[in-house]
Amino acid sequence: MKLMSCPECQSEIKEQLGTVCPKCGYTVGYFNETNKRPKYAKFFALSVFLPFITFITIIFTSINTISFIFGVIVFLFSAYKSFPYFYRNLFITKFEKIFFWLVWILVNSLLLSMIYNVVHKLQLV
Ligand SMILES: [Zn+2]
């Protein structure tokens, strides 16, 4: 078990989430490290909003080939921006890591199948 020094009273406590410092009552949590919080929030927002925006864009751009190219660019940009690999340092637990990878793979394969359907509908191939 890894130990860390308590940020409140500097005594040695376990690094595990949920550990309560016996001296001052400080609790080890997800967002205790202040520098991690904004990045985590940003990543969370990205992985929710970007696929949603992409979804809407694909629907609206699927009318013709030219506009659909724009839709595909938005998809690629969104998939790249929310790629969990770039945020791997943010994940504390294994569950978190697996969860975000699963969400990313699921969402982007759904969007990709949408693109595939539009390509067939527009008879681009
Ligand atoms: Zn303490």
Side-chain angles (χ1 to χ4, degrees), residues 6-11 13 21-26:
C6 172
E8 301 290 326
C9 68
Q10 321 311 327
S11 60
I13 55 170
C21 174
K23 258 190 174 173
C24 69
Y26 170 86

mmCIF file of all heavy atoms in Angstrom, residues 6-11 13 21-26, ligand 1:
data_model
loop_
_atom_site.group_PDB
_atom_site.id
_atom_site.type_symbol
_atom_site.label_atom_id
_atom_site.label_comp_id
_atom_site.label_asym_id
_atom_site.label_seq_id
_atom_site.Cartn_x
_atom_site.Cartn_y
_atom_site.Cartn_z
ATOM 1 N N CYS A 6 -0.172 13.775 4.178
ATOM 2 C CA CYS A 6 -1.460 14.473 4.208
ATOM 3 C C CYS A 6 -1.266 15.948 3.842
ATOM 4 O O CYS A 6 -0.422 16.621 4.432
ATOM 5 C CB CYS A 6 -2.078 14.348 5.601
ATOM 6 S SG CYS A 6 -3.547 15.359 5.825
ATOM 7 N N PRO A 7 -2.036 16.461 2.863
ATOM 8 C CA PRO A 7 -1.839 17.863 2.441
ATOM 9 C C PRO A 7 -2.229 18.873 3.535
ATOM 10 O O PRO A 7 -1.811 20.021 3.475
ATOM 11 C CB PRO A 7 -2.745 18.019 1.221
ATOM 12 C CG PRO A 7 -3.542 16.791 1.115
ATOM 13 C CD PRO A 7 -3.046 15.775 2.058
ATOM 14 N N GLU A 8 -3.002 18.429 4.534
ATOM 15 C CA GLU A 8 -3.426 19.334 5.600
ATOM 16 C C GLU A 8 -2.428 19.369 6.758
ATOM 17 O O GLU A 8 -2.062 20.430 7.243
ATOM 18 C CB GLU A 8 -4.806 18.922 6.148
ATOM 19 C CG GLU A 8 -5.920 18.906 5.111
ATOM 20 C CD GLU A 8 -6.329 20.294 4.624
ATOM 21 O OE1 GLU A 8 -6.291 21.236 5.422
ATOM 22 O OE2 GLU A 8 -6.660 20.406 3.423
ATOM 23 N N CYS A 9 -2.009 18.178 7.220
ATOM 24 C CA CYS A 9 -1.178 18.144 8.422
ATOM 25 C C CYS A 9 0.167 17.427 8.224
ATOM 26 O O CYS A 9 0.913 17.261 9.180
ATOM 27 C CB CYS A 9 -1.943 17.507 9.579
ATOM 28 S SG CYS A 9 -2.267 15.755 9.328
ATOM 29 N N GLN A 10 0.451 17.010 6.999
ATOM 30 C CA GLN A 10 1.722 16.365 6.614
ATOM 31 C C GLN A 10 1.983 15.011 7.275
ATOM 32 O O GLN A 10 3.087 14.487 7.176
ATOM 33 C CB GLN A 10 2.965 17.253 6.852
ATOM 34 C CG GLN A 10 2.855 18.735 6.556
ATOM 35 C CD GLN A 10 2.250 19.094 5.211
ATOM 36 O OE1 GLN A 10 2.439 18.370 4.235
ATOM 37 N NE2 GLN A 10 1.525 20.179 5.156
ATOM 38 N N SER A 11 1.030 14.418 7.972
ATOM 39 C CA SER A 11 1.300 13.088 8.534
ATOM 40 C C SER A 11 1.105 12.025 7.456
ATOM 41 O O SER A 11 0.401 12.253 6.466
ATOM 42 C CB SER A 11 0.414 12.827 9.752
ATOM 43 O OG SER A 11 -0.933 12.883 9.378
ATOM 44 N N ILE A 13 -0.287 9.118 5.441
ATOM 45 C CA ILE A 13 -1.550 8.388 5.312
ATOM 46 C C ILE A 13 -1.531 7.547 4.042
ATOM 47 O O ILE A 13 -0.708 7.761 3.165
ATOM 48 C CB ILE A 13 -2.791 9.343 5.293
ATOM 49 C CG1 ILE A 13 -2.647 10.404 4.184
ATOM 50 C CG2 ILE A 13 -3.001 9.995 6.648
ATOM 51 C CD1 ILE A 13 -3.909 11.208 3.954
ATOM 52 N N CYS A 21 -7.634 10.862 7.138
ATOM 53 C CA CYS A 21 -6.467 11.132 7.974
ATOM 54 C C CYS A 21 -6.886 11.082 9.449
ATOM 55 O O CYS A 21 -7.809 11.782 9.853
ATOM 56 C CB CYS A 21 -5.881 12.490 7.629
ATOM 57 S SG CYS A 21 -4.545 13.003 8.713
ATOM 58 N N PRO A 22 -6.204 10.234 10.263
ATOM 59 C CA PRO A 22 -6.602 10.103 11.671
ATOM 60 C C PRO A 22 -6.330 11.373 12.481
ATOM 61 O O PRO A 22 -6.927 11.578 13.532
ATOM 62 C CB PRO A 22 -5.734 8.943 12.174
ATOM 63 C CG PRO A 22 -4.612 8.840 11.214
ATOM 64 C CD PRO A 22 -5.096 9.362 9.904
ATOM 65 N N LYS A 23 -5.459 12.228 11.987
ATOM 66 C CA LYS A 23 -5.101 13.430 12.755
ATOM 67 C C LYS A 23 -6.062 14.595 12.485
ATOM 68 O O LYS A 23 -6.509 15.258 13.409
ATOM 69 C CB LYS A 23 -3.679 13.869 12.377
ATOM 70 C CG LYS A 23 -2.634 13.470 13.403
ATOM 71 C CD LYS A 23 -1.329 14.155 13.046
ATOM 72 C CE LYS A 23 -0.273 13.916 14.102
ATOM 73 N NZ LYS A 23 1.023 14.456 13.643
ATOM 74 N N CYS A 24 -6.355 14.847 11.190
ATOM 75 C CA CYS A 24 -7.130 16.050 10.873
ATOM 76 C C CYS A 24 -8.435 15.778 10.132
ATOM 77 O O CYS A 24 -9.222 16.683 9.915
ATOM 78 C CB CYS A 24 -6.273 17.024 10.060
ATOM 79 S SG CYS A 24 -5.923 16.428 8.396
ATOM 80 N N GLY A 25 -8.658 14.543 9.725
ATOM 81 C CA GLY A 25 -9.922 14.211 9.075
ATOM 82 C C GLY A 25 -9.963 14.457 7.580
ATOM 83 O O GLY A 25 -11.000 14.313 6.936
ATOM 84 N N TYR A 26 -8.816 14.794 6.965
ATOM 85 C CA TYR A 26 -8.733 14.983 5.521
ATOM 86 C C TYR A 26 -9.065 13.670 4.819
ATOM 87 O O TYR A 26 -8.597 12.607 5.229
ATOM 88 C CB TYR A 26 -7.311 15.448 5.164
ATOM 89 C CG TYR A 26 -7.005 15.465 3.680
ATOM 90 C CD1 TYR A 26 -7.329 16.563 2.902
ATOM 91 C CD2 TYR A 26 -6.400 14.368 3.075
ATOM 92 C CE1 TYR A 26 -7.041 16.570 1.561
ATOM 93 C CE2 TYR A 26 -6.116 14.368 1.726
ATOM 94 C CZ TYR A 26 -6.433 15.481 0.973
ATOM 95 O OH TYR A 26 -6.165 15.481 -0.360
HETATM 96 ZN ZN ZN B 1 -4.035 15.118 8.104
#
